[in-house]
Amino acid sequence: MGRWRDGRGTLLVHGDGDGGRVAAVPLEIATSYRARTKGLLGRDGLDGAMLLSPANGIHTFRMRMAIDVAYLDRRLNVIAVRTMPPGRLGRPRLRSRHVLEAEAGAMAGWGVRAGARVTVEVE
């Protein structure tokens, strides 16, 4: 997996039981303190997903939209997925090392759910 840097890449969602389907999603990677702190604040939308690393919890204060949040362990297995409206504080997940964010409803379409596995390809 290696260490990532702020930038762009592709999130690959490996499907279970649906013929080995792999969904490819545009990805923004936020690893610096500054990029993780800014996250999706001030945005009206997102094309794809944003990966915050390292992270084990998030908030949606000052956000303009509801978001899907997936908590990932160190091997990029999905621990839990939640939809959070603006103005909420998500509880930290102890085993989480990374957090994925996307517009509300997007993750279900990609197959991101508890137990799924994802990988990251960096551009």
Side-chain angles (χ1 to χ4, degrees):
M1 178 170 56
R3 294 185 67 99
W4 300 304
R5 294 184 175 194
D6 292 348
R8 298 194 175 276
T10 303
L11 177 74
L12 300 174
V13 183
H14 304 276
D16 307 333
D18 49 357
R21 179 180 79 99
V22 176
V25 179
L27 183 67
E28 292 181 39
I29 302 168
T31 59
S32 68
Y33 177 78
R34 184 176 185 164
R36 286 180 317 199
T37 302
K38 183 174 181 198
L40 297 177
L41 294 178
R43 295 193 192 191
D44 292 319
L46 174 67
D47 178 30
M50 177 175 277
L51 176 70
L52 307 174
S53 180
N56 68 354
I58 58 109
H59 69 83
T60 58
F61 299 119
R62 297 184 2 235
M63 283 203 182
R64 298 179 181 173
M65 61 184 172
I67 60 171
D68 284 345
V69 179
Y71 299 89
L72 310 175
D73 68 12
R74 67 180 67 245
R75 292 191 172 105
L76 302 182
N77 295 309
V78 180
I79 298 169
V81 179
R82 299 285 180 261
T83 299
M84 293 179 59
R88 299 294 165 91
L89 177 64
R91 66 178 193 168
R93 304 286 171 152
L94 294 179
R95 291 184 10 238
S96 177
R97 296 294 177 264
H98 319 283
V99 174
L100 247 160
E101 298 178 338
E103 287 188 29
M107 289 191 187
W110 303 331
V112 176
R113 61 186 172 277
R117 186 176 59 85
V118 302
T119 54
V120 172
E121 290 183 351
V122 179
E123 291 181 359

